[in-house]
Amino acid sequence: MQVNLHDAWHIGPVEIPSRLVLAPMAGVSVQAFRRQGRRFGAGLVCSEMVSCAGLHHGNERTLGYLRIAADERPLAVQIFGSEPSVMAEAAVMVEQAGADIVDINFGCPVKKVTKTGAGATLLDEPDRACRVVEAVALAVSVPVTVKLRRGLENGSRACLSLAPRLVEAGAASLTLHPRSAKQMYTGSADHTLTADLVSLVDVPVVASGDITSRVRAESVLAMTGAAAVMVGRAAQGNPWGLREILDGETAEPSREEVVAELILFMRETVRELGEHRATGFLKKFYGWYLGRGRFPRALKAELTQLPAIADVEARLLAAAPGARFVLARLEETLPQGEEVLLDLPISIYGGG
Ligand SMILES: Cc1cc2nc3c(=O)[nH]c(=O)nc-3n(C[C@H](O)[C@H](O)[C@H](O)COP(=O)(O)O)c2cc1C
């Protein structure tokens, strides 16, 4: 039976209002990205992966990833690590910070992570992977979910033997990105494996990988029986892509809309990361927003050379003057500033 993308579904007791999940992406999934994703129809959004060791050591930047806004929920915060007790401790902090779901990363293929025994390495260490899930599930009362790749090597089907054991250990939902760790992002996601996974477990499965259009989303849902699709790269600088998947709305946004969304994104990111960090962080977003034939290429190059974010804003408004009205309307409809932030419990900062 074909699932309607607008139908609500559940992970444990958490109701998710649509079948579209915004992917966790390191260096991308800041609060502004997640709030925007929710506004454009994502039913569930995810933080980027957060180091459990960083949380354990009270690293200030890592703790910053636990800042959650009221209007981005339901939200999953993803953690990575390989020590069950340290992962359990991190999960408790995530729950206290207000996340609706704790997600565990068993898919990251990046050396810096895999060499510590975390991420995709755990696909090859099923016993440890199960101990991690069990420890985390015992430590928190919110649902615990796991995001996996297919295995380490090309053609691996390791995810299929591991998945039922993860569910037994306490996973309430699984997301599969059916590429191997070795593949990184090359080739294509083999969703026949997602269909196999769905037939093996009785928890909702989310299909991740190469979901770029409504046609693709519907065919993957029909072919796999997955509960939802996850969208990553197609949403970078392109929240309209989410709307296309949900509603089949194919009209390109106007230049004014693009600039207004980008400036709002910049302002929120500055508030979250501070001007200094945001300046470098935002550069990749200029190309993502202004590309797709929306603006001449030279504009992106020009923006990345400007010294301050205020200069970028001014240049963008010069390129699309009407954007200031779209932006004003947008800002009016949004909760502003501190009122959207849930307070982090003092215990997270050690009372200091
Ligand atoms: C820049 C980038 C960062 C990513 N970071 C994470 C991450 O922190 N955690 C995770 O589980 N997956 C991460 N992924 C994988 C995505 O969540 C997703 O599974 C993958 O990109 C395939 O989906 P797509 O084809 O829709 O992009 C990342 C992907 C990209 C492109």
Side-chain angles (χ1 to χ4, degrees):
M1 196 184 68
Q2 181 68 55
V3 169
N4 182 332
L5 281 152
H6 282 282
D7 284 350
W9 57 294
H10 287 82
I11 294 180
V14 178
E15 182 174 288
I16 301 172
S18 78
R19 301 284 169 152
L20 192 54
V21 180
L22 192 62
M25 287 186 283
V28 177
S29 299
V30 287
Q31 204 176 84
F33 185 73
R34 305 186 310 244
R35 291 177 74 198
Q36 182 188 59
R38 292 281 291 122
R39 259 192 304 121
F40 278 78
L44 177 66
V45 298
C46 305
S47 76
E48 68 176 79
M49 56 181 196
V50 181
S51 158
C52 73
L55 293 178
H56 176 71
H57 290 113
N59 179 299
E60 204 168 313
R61 189 178 278 205
T62 314
L63 289 169
Y65 291 123
L66 301 188
R67 221 172 280 131
I68 293 168
D71 64 347
E72 57 180 310
R73 297 176 63 188
L75 163 89
V77 169
Q78 187 185 72
I79 53 175
F80 72 95
S82 59
E83 270 309 317
S85 63
V86 185
M87 285 289 274
E89 184 193 337
V92 169
M93 294 169 84
V94 165
E95 181 179 38
Q96 287 179 354
D100 300 282
I101 290 169
V102 177
D103 188 53
I104 299 176
N105 180 313
F106 289 167
C108 181
V110 175
K111 253 240 167 75
K112 196 171 131 197
V113 170
T114 53
K115 74 176 186 208
T116 68
T121 305
L122 285 151
L123 297 170
D124 231 14
E125 292 212 36
D127 293 340
R128 179 179 281 273
C130 291
R131 285 205 307 279
V132 166
V133 172
E134 200 171 56
V136 169
L138 277 173
V140 295
S141 55
V142 294
V144 173
T145 59
V146 179
K147 185 161 177 286
L148 316 137
R149 282 200 178 221
R150 64 182 298 161
L152 290 182
E153 299 300 326
N154 293 349
S156 167
R157 299 171 71 81
C159 61
L160 297 184
S161 48
L162 180 58
R165 295 187 59 191
L166 297 179
V167 172
E168 207 172 304
S173 168
L174 302 173
T175 298
L176 179 64
H177 175 202
R179 281 187 172 88
S180 69
K182 197 172 195 174
Q183 258 184 296
M184 301 293 281
Y185 294 93
T186 61
S188 54
D190 176 6
H191 283 297
T192 60
L193 213 63
T194 314
D196 292 342
L197 177 61
V198 170
S199 68
L200 283 174
V201 295
D202 56 5
V203 295
V205 169
V206 180
S208 169
D210 305 342
I211 308 291
T212 51
S213 68
R214 182 177 177 80
V215 170
R216 183 82 187 129
E218 288 193 325
S219 86
V220 167
L221 283 174
M223 192 259 283
T224 61
V229 287
M230 177 177 272
V231 178
R233 289 166 293 172
Q236 291 171 337
N238 188 32
W240 302 277
L242 299 176
R243 196 165 276 170
E244 190 276 322
I245 290 171
L246 263 184
D247 297 325
E249 173 58 71
T250 53
E252 266 293 304
S254 68
R255 284 183 162 199
E256 286 72 23
E257 274 177 273
V258 172
V259 165
E261 283 293 342
L262 173 53
I263 291 179
L264 180 66
F265 189 88
M266 289 159 56
R267 289 181 181 176
E268 289 192 17
T269 303
V270 168
R271 225 170 35 221
E272 184 181 353
L273 304 182
E275 172 98 19
H276 180 70
R277 259 176 84 198
T279 303
F281 174 88
L282 284 168
K283 284 189 175 162
K284 56 187 178 285
F285 285 88
Y286 302 148
W288 287 340
Y289 273 89
L290 306 179
R292 301 173 193 265
R294 292 170 183 158
F295 283 87
R297 278 191 181 179
L299 180 60
K300 172 200 149 190
E302 198 185 319
L303 295 182
T304 53
Q305 300 304 316
L306 293 171
I309 298 217
D311 302 323
V312 177
E313 231 187 89
R315 182 66 190 88
L316 283 168
L317 286 172
R324 69 181 74 247
F325 305 111
V326 182
L327 180 61
R329 270 203 308 275
L330 245 178
E331 288 192 321
E332 253 169 44
T333 62
L334 295 172
Q336 286 299 308
E338 296 306 311
E339 76 192 75
V340 301
L341 292 179
L342 296 179
D343 279 337
L344 281 176
I346 285 171
S347 58
I348 280 183
Y349 285 122

